[in-house]
Every structure is written in structure tokens, then in C-alpha cells.
Amino acid sequence: MNLIQIKNCYKVYNNGVTAIADLNLTIQKGEFVFVIGASGSGKSTLIKMLYREERPTNGSVIVGGINVAKLRNSKVYKLRRKLGIVFQDFKLLPKLTVYENVAFALESIGMNSKEIRPKVLKALESVGLKEKVRSFPNQLSGGEQQRVCIARAIVNEPKLLICDEPTGNLDPETSKEIVKILDNINKEFDTTIIMATHDKEIVNRMKKRVLLLENGVLTGDYMKGSYKAHESN
Amino acid sequence: MKAIRVLSRGIRDAFKSVFRNFSLTTAAITCSTITLLLVAVAMIISYNVRSITTDLEKELTIIAYLKQNTSEEEINNLKEEIEKLENVKSVTIKDKDEWKIELKDYDETFKNSLDYFDENPLLDSIVVKVKDVANLKETTEKIRAYDIISSADYGEEAAENIVSAFDIIEKFAVIMVAALVLVTSFLISNTIRLTIFSRRSEIEIMRLVGASNAMVKLPFIFEGLVLGVLGSIIPILITVYGYIILYDHFGGHLLLSLIRLVEPFNFIIYVSLLLLLIGSVIGMIGSYLSVRRYLKI
């Protein structure tokens, strides 16, 4: 089953920069995909189109049956409820505790507090932060903050988890931990994960599908690939 | 159920935000308090002026006295003719016997002097009410032109001046109220803009996790509503107590017994409700302007 289907997709920004050119791509349900490429290669644009922060200029981007290109602003929330997003800069609310930060995602979509509690605790447990529910973000390490961000992204049990350089601000050890958590989520809940990254070591070790973008063009799509694979090409 | 939850969350967030940004909201509430207070004063003046004007206009009639020994037929013919004039609302005949009874009741001196005559020395008259007080003078002139009219007069000129002065006051009050309402909605809009700014990361996350537009907008609309309502409390209290004290102090009259103030009940209740309504509408419009402009959803 195709979770993501991208056909003849172009993205040209208003200033004339072509960020994505003629992209064709399908991603199946349950896959773990790395998106790699240098800065300015179109990684972020691709990621942002998946959650409709950017709109394709041409072609179609279908995520979970919704055509992002045709999605009206007022209906964007329907897409966003199907997916979770993890950011490089965490985007946690400093005045809320860990629990409240995760619960905020469910409150925002109008869920009642009885339903919220077990879901939040389950999500925090799967990222190993159950003991820190009462802590505030500034009392946590970077890795822990990123785990809160992951818990918030998966609390609504999305089919797709989009990670935009989730380890970009973290040291190698912590990065490994985070990727391990993502891998567990992928295996345990069969959640599709797309992760944009610069981290060669992680990509090489994980042996997952790798998409290589160069100047907005998809130049490599390797199953069980790695940086090495494309370097040897 | 979900709608109630969304609504109560919106209201809760609105109050939270009002208290969290205390200095900012105090400024907005103070501004709307002052504005609504002026609106209240303008409304009270304008409404009273209108009531006084209507009162005066009711009293402003042309009384035309007929020459002695005019026959009843002539009077009736004249009445019909005057009725055809433009600006004439109604014509009633008030003959000398009616005048006699009225004058006798009015004063002891009149009674004595009238009793002195065997025959009624008074004149028959017709009472003319006009449609538009502004043209009172011209209509009087026209009536004076008839042969059998000995004299025609209307109420004091002073009354006419009062009416036109009040007219200007009323127009001025309406313009002032409109301007103030505009200023307040901009102020509230500005306050909401700042709260939107201070909560932008919260809004960003809400949108990323799939909050619908209504969920994002509602707290701000409620916040505007809360600001407007809080701003209308003091003006309402001042209106209610102030007007009652004012009314009692003047005994319901201003200067002349002719100028009657509007009775406090139910007038102040309407004014209070109107203030509350204006406050909440201004608040919501103000916040809607900001939400539309700065949320871009």
C-alpha cells in the first residue's frame, strides 16, 4: 500500500529558485526512509511539502490519500492529524511540563481529558520519559527534549512520522538513542518514518532505504543503502 | 460534546490570556471603559434630546384666532382649506366656549374677570399642528394671510431655537460615538495582535498538530469578547447609578418644566444592555480583525 505517492512534482519558490524538479517517488506503509543531501538540495522542501507547509508548484503529492497540492488552507488540519512531525529545534512550549506539552497536541484537536491521559502516558513510556512527566523543558537535556517532541508526534498514533533533521542539534551518542527510539516506533507500531538527515554515521549503520537529493533532483534511491553506496556510484 | 469542549477551552484560554498579559489587557480594558463611558453619556444625551425635542414639537402648535362674529360655516370652510396646506398635520377647532372653560379652570383672576362679561368676549380659534417644526414660521405666515384670521401665532421662538440647537447636539453625539467605537475596536485589535504575537509558538504548534482553524481562532475571539465585556462593566454601573442620581437631583426636569428628562426605568436598562452589546461586538470585531490579519489561516 502506497502511503506517499509523488508524481512529476516541481517546487519553484517565488524568488525563482527551483527547489524540487520532476520528483517521482512512492513510499510504502511501514517503511523507514532517510532523505539525504547537501544543504539547499531540496530536503527540507520535500519534507515541508509532505505536511503541507509548502505547496508543490506542479504535479501531485498524495499523502495518505490526500492530495497536498489541492488541499485548501482551511482543510490542512485533516492532513496534519494523520501525521506526526519531529523538528530539529523541538518546538516545545517552555511554560508547560512534559506531560502538558504532549497533552497539548491532543487538547488542540478537541479530545477530552479522560481519553488524553492514557494516550500521553503511553507515548511518554515508548520514548522512555515516564519519570519526567512533571519536568519542564528547560530541566531536560537536548536528547530528552527531542524525546518529548517524538512523544508529542506519536501520541495521536499517526501512520506517518516526519522527522526534519531530528538529530541535528544532538551529540552522536544521543543521536543514536533517538534513532533507536524511532526504529522501535517503526517496528512496534508499523509507523512509516521519513527522516531528513546529515548524519552519515546513522545512515550507514541503519541500512534503510535512502533517498539522495542533489539540487532538487532525486539522484539516488537505494534500498538498504548508505552514504557509501552512493559514494561508490 | 466536542463543540462544548472546544468552546470551554476557548473561554478558558481567553481568561488565562487576559490575566497572563495583565498590563496589556488593563490598558485595553481601560480604553474601552473610557470609550463606553463616553458612548453612554452620548447615548443618554442623544436620547434625552430626542425625547425633549418630540415633547417640544408636540407642544409647538399654531393657534389662529378668528375675527369676531365669524360664522360656523366660515370656520368649517377655513378648516378644510388649511388642512389642504402642505406641512399641516391636523386642524382642530377650539371655539370660544372651550377657551372660557379652560381659562376659568386655570386661574381665579381669569374666572372673576370672565364672569364679569355677560357675553363671551373671547375669540373662536383653530389649532394647527404641523408635520415639520422647521417650517413652522412659513406655515404660520400662510395662515395669517386668510381674511377672517385676526392673528396667528406659534409657541415661543425660544422653543424653536432649543429644538434646532438640540438637533445639532444630537448629530454631534452620534458622530462622536461612531468615532469612539472605531478607536476602541482598533485598540482591542491591537491588544489581540500582541497576544497573538506572544502566543505565536503555541499557535504554530497547534497548527502543526492538526488543530482546526476554529480551534486556533476561538480563544482570540473570546479574548476580544472578554475585553469588551470587562470594559463595559464600569460604564454600566456609572450609567445606572449616575443617571438615577442625576434624575432625582433635578426632579426629572432640566431648567424649564417643559424640558423633561427620560424616566430612569426602563431607559437605563436599555442603555446598559446596549453598552454590553457594543462592548462585546467591538471586542469581537477588534479581535477578528487581528486574527484575520495575523493568523493567515
Side-chain angles (χ1 to χ4, degrees):
Chain A
M1 198 192 131
N2 292 341
L3 187 69
I4 297 173
Q5 193 157 20
I6 300 174
K7 274 185 189 164
N8 308 108
C9 173
Y10 285 83
K11 174 71 193 179
V12 182
Y13 284 104
N14 287 337
N15 59 10
V17 173
T18 306
I20 295 284
D22 198 19
L23 180 67
N24 289 283
L25 180 68
T26 49
I27 293 172
Q28 309 281 309
K29 190 171 182 296
E31 276 192 83
F32 193 127
V33 184
F34 286 109
V35 181
I36 59 170
S39 296
S41 60
K43 277 196 316 282
S44 281
T45 305
L46 171 61
I47 292 286
K48 281 178 180 165
M49 280 196 295
L50 294 177
Y51 62 91
R52 179 49 170 75
E53 189 68 16
E54 294 293 348
R55 250 177 152 148
T57 317
N58 245 318
S60 67
V61 175
I62 295 167
V63 179
I66 297 174
N67 189 347
V68 173
K70 288 182 181 167
L71 192 61
R72 276 192 283 140
N73 276 352
S74 59
K75 300 282 180 227
V76 169
Y77 72 95
K78 289 190 173 169
L79 170 73
R80 301 256 170 100
R81 284 183 193 186
K82 291 186 176 191
L83 43 88
I85 312 167
V86 179
F87 305 93
Q88 182 175 5
D89 58 353
F90 321 138
K91 293 195 195 297
L92 298 175
L93 295 168
K95 285 182 185 171
L96 301 185
T97 63
V98 167
Y99 178 89
E100 288 165 339
N101 260 294
V102 179
F104 184 79
L106 297 178
E107 279 171 27
S108 296
I109 60 173
M111 202 176 273
N112 78 32
S113 48
K114 274 183 200 155
E115 282 176 81
I116 289 175
R117 197 170 167 76
K119 280 178 185 249
V120 173
L121 294 176
K122 191 182 155 204
L124 284 170
E125 196 173 3
S126 49
V127 297
L129 273 183
K130 221 181 170 181
E131 299 77 40
K132 303 258 181 176
V133 283
R134 285 171 207 277
S135 307
F136 285 91
N138 62 2
Q139 298 166 326
L140 302 177
S141 70
E144 285 168 329
Q145 290 186 43
Q146 189 57 288
R147 284 194 271 164
V148 178
C149 184
I150 294 170
R152 185 181 62 195
I154 61 167
V155 70
N156 199 23
E157 293 157 18
K159 290 196 194 96
L160 173 65
L161 191 59
I162 297 169
C163 309
D164 194 357
E165 303 194 24
T167 59
N169 283 351
L170 305 174
D171 62 71
E173 274 310 303
T174 320
S175 298
K176 256 186 230 169
E177 257 174 58
I178 294 295
V179 175
K180 200 175 160 197
I181 288 169
L182 292 175
D183 197 31
N184 282 340
I185 292 166
N186 174 244
K187 283 176 178 144
E188 197 179 332
F189 307 109
D190 201 26
T191 308
T192 311
I193 296 182
I194 297 178
M195 175 170 159
T197 186
H198 279 301
D199 198 325
K200 285 181 189 177
E201 202 188 316
I202 288 172
V203 176
N204 288 339
R205 207 191 43 213
M206 295 292 290
K207 303 258 180 286
K208 302 282 185 186
R209 184 177 174 190
V210 177
L211 303 173
L212 174 67
L213 283 168
E214 279 174 322
N215 295 323
V217 181
L218 184 68
T219 53
D221 184 351
Y222 317 100
M223 290 299 163
K224 300 207 174 191
S226 66
Y227 264 95
K228 276 177 199 155
H230 99 261
E231 276 161 1
S232 64
N233 267 353
Chain B
M1 251 326 273
K2 195 182 161 190
I4 295 170
R5 220 164 32 239
V6 171
L7 219 65
S8 64
R9 192 180 134 92
I11 295 169
R12 189 198 67 193
D13 283 1
F15 274 100
K16 236 198 238 170
S17 176
V18 166
F19 289 108
R20 199 179 286 164
N21 307 309
F22 191 71
S23 56
L24 198 65
T25 48
T26 312
I29 291 170
T30 314
C31 278
S32 55
T33 299
I34 293 166
T35 307
L36 286 172
L37 206 58
L38 290 168
V39 168
V41 170
M43 255 181 351
I44 287 170
I45 291 175
S46 148
Y47 194 80
N48 267 297
V49 163
R50 187 165 304 165
S51 136
I52 290 165
T53 312
T54 339
D55 275 358
L56 284 177
E57 282 177 0
K58 267 188 223 150
E59 315 249 338
L60 281 180
T61 50
I62 303 167
I63 299 176
Y65 294 98
L66 298 149
K67 287 182 177 153
Q68 284 282 13
N69 306 322
T70 313
S71 73
E72 208 167 306
E73 202 191 333
E74 280 175 310
I75 298 176
N76 282 329
N77 286 344
L78 181 71
K79 181 185 176 226
E80 273 171 36
E81 271 190 60
I82 291 176
E83 271 171 349
K84 281 178 203 153
L85 287 178
E86 130 192 45
N87 196 31
V88 168
K89 195 158 74 182
S90 69
V91 182
T92 43
I93 298 168
K94 198 168 179 182
D95 62 27
K96 50 191 175 188
D97 295 331
E98 282 177 65
W99 278 114
K100 192 173 171 180
I101 295 164
E102 194 176 305
L103 285 174
K104 272 173 146 184
D105 284 347
Y106 189 73
D107 199 305
E108 196 63 24
T109 346
F110 278 127
K111 188 180 185 302
N112 295 336
S113 47
L114 279 170
D115 282 340
Y116 181 77
F117 294 98
D118 289 336
E119 210 177 312
N120 188 347
L122 300 168
L123 295 172
D124 287 322
S125 71
I126 53 170
V127 177
V128 180
K129 286 197 173 170
V130 294
K131 286 175 193 153
D132 185 6
V133 185
N135 296 323
L136 198 62
K137 206 170 176 179
E138 292 151 47
T139 312
T140 313
E141 297 292 342
K142 279 183 195 159
I143 293 168
R144 270 185 199 139
Y146 289 100
D147 282 343
I148 50 171
I149 302 280
S150 78
S151 70
D153 267 307
Y154 54 90
E156 299 139 82
E157 297 240 353
E160 202 188 14
N161 292 339
I162 291 174
V163 171
S164 60
F166 278 173
D167 214 34
I168 294 167
I169 294 175
E170 197 188 333
K171 275 178 190 145
F172 181 72
V174 168
I175 292 169
M176 202 170 77
V177 166
L180 285 170
V181 164
L182 215 65
V183 169
T184 310
S185 49
F186 277 125
L187 275 165
I188 289 181
S189 155
N190 213 29
T191 310
I192 301 294
R193 184 174 70 96
L194 289 165
T195 46
I196 288 176
F197 188 73
S198 72
R199 288 179 59 188
R200 65 195 181 287
S201 49
E202 217 171 305
I203 293 166
E204 185 193 356
I205 294 163
M206 279 179 87
R207 294 177 62 192
L208 287 170
V209 298
S212 64
N213 288 349
M215 283 287 290
V216 178
K217 283 178 187 171
L218 224 57
F220 298 107
I221 302 287
F222 275 122
E223 198 180 326
L225 183 74
V226 169
L227 289 179
V229 170
L230 288 180
S232 68
I233 290 173
I234 292 171
I236 285 174
L237 291 178
I238 292 179
T239 306
V240 171
Y241 290 105
Y243 193 72
I244 291 174
I245 290 167
L246 189 87
Y247 187 84
D248 288 345
H249 180 76
F250 286 111
H253 298 292
L254 214 60
L255 309 170
L256 307 163
S257 63
L258 190 62
I259 303 179
R260 280 186 296 273
L261 292 173
V262 181
E263 290 205 14
F265 292 100
N266 302 313
F267 173 57
I268 45 172
I269 293 171
Y270 294 140
V271 173
S272 303
L273 288 176
L274 213 58
L275 285 178
L276 191 68
L277 190 75
I278 293 174
S280 24
V281 169
I282 292 176
M284 285 199 289
I285 290 174
S287 62
Y288 181 74
L289 287 177
S290 276
V291 164
R292 230 182 57 158
R293 197 152 160 215
Y294 297 101
L295 281 186
K296 300 234 165 84
I297 45 179

